[in-house]
Structure formats: structure tokens, C-alpha cells
């Protein structure tokens, strides 16, 4: 929420911003995604897709994604396309690594 009665979803709707929801790969990601998409639809957000974001190296990325945020399951549950997977980037100040990660996403036009 931005205020007691105004959320980021309201802002996105009011500004008519095409929106991509970033789904962190962690326990609870599926339920949080379902809830966030439901709110976006309720408010009228122009939701273009989801990006699955690997937020830790503690578990191998493929296993973490399969366990906590499987793209096919997310798409099936919320009927919103998964545009890609944002990998763990060790050095977030590395512009080349960030650019490579961004190129792997199928950004909507």
C-alpha cells in the first residue's frame, strides 16, 4: 500500500501502465502470485505477464523453480504468460550480466 486506501495496483491502473509482475522464487510464491494477479484484475491493472526471479543461490535454480514457482503451474493458475526467468546475478552492479538476463526475457511489445 502507498496509503491506507491507495495501493501500487491503484497507481498502475490510474497511470495506465503496462505491468509485469515479478515472482520471487521462494516458498509461498504460488499463493502470492495468485493473490497479486487477483488484485491486479480486481483493480484493473494492465498485466502483461510474469517474470520468475531467482532470488537466492541456496538451492540450485532449476530445483527451486520446480519446487516453488513452476512456470507452467503459474500460467495455468492465473492465465497470465510467464515471459521468462530472471536468473541469480552474482554481481548486480555488472551491467553486462544484467543486460544478458534482460535479453532472455520475452518482453511484451
Amino acid at each position: 500500500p502507498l496509503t491506507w486506501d491507495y495501493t501500487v495496483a491503484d497507481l498502475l491502473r490510474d497511470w495506465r501502465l503496462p505491468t509485469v509482475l515479478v515472482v520471487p522464487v521462494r516458498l509461498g510464491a504460488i499463493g502470492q502470485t495468485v493473490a497479486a494477479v487477483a488484485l491486479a484484475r480486481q483493480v484493473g491493472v494492465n498485466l502483461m505477464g510474469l517474470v520468475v526471479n531467482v532470488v537466492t543461490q541456496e538451492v540450485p535454480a532449476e530445483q527451486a523453480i520446480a519446487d516453488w514457482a513452476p512456470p507452467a503451474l503459474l500460467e495455468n493458475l492465473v492465465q497470465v504468460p510467464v515471459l521468462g526467468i530472471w536468473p541469480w546475478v552474482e554481481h548486480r552492479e555488472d551491467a553486462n550480466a544484467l543486460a544478458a538476463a534482460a535479453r532472455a526475457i520475452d518482453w511484451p511489445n
Side-chain angles (χ1 to χ4, degrees):
L2 297 172
T3 68
W4 284 97
D5 60 353
Y6 195 76
T7 68
V8 172
D10 295 316
L11 179 73
L12 295 170
R13 177 206 55 225
D14 292 348
W15 288 4
R16 296 186 179 121
L17 295 173
T19 303
V20 173
L21 178 65
V22 177
V23 177
V25 176
R26 63 177 175 218
L27 185 62
I30 296 168
Q32 290 174 349
T33 302
V34 170
V37 170
L39 175 64
R41 286 189 173 130
Q42 177 184 347
V43 171
V45 172
N46 180 13
L47 189 57
M48 305 299 290
L50 309 174
V51 171
V52 174
N53 180 19
V54 179
V55 295
T56 182
Q57 284 186 300
E58 294 175 15
V59 178
E62 296 80 16
Q63 187 62 51
I65 293 166
D67 289 346
W68 296 330
L73 177 60
L74 293 172
E75 287 181 334
N76 187 56
L77 288 172
V78 299
Q79 298 298 298
V80 174
V82 172
L83 304 173
I85 296 172
W86 189 275
W88 170 258
V89 177
E90 180 71 29
H91 301 286
R92 291 181 291 279
E93 68 282 353
D94 181 349
N96 291 327
L98 295 173
R103 283 191 298 273
I105 306 297
D106 186 21
W107 301 106
N109 295 327

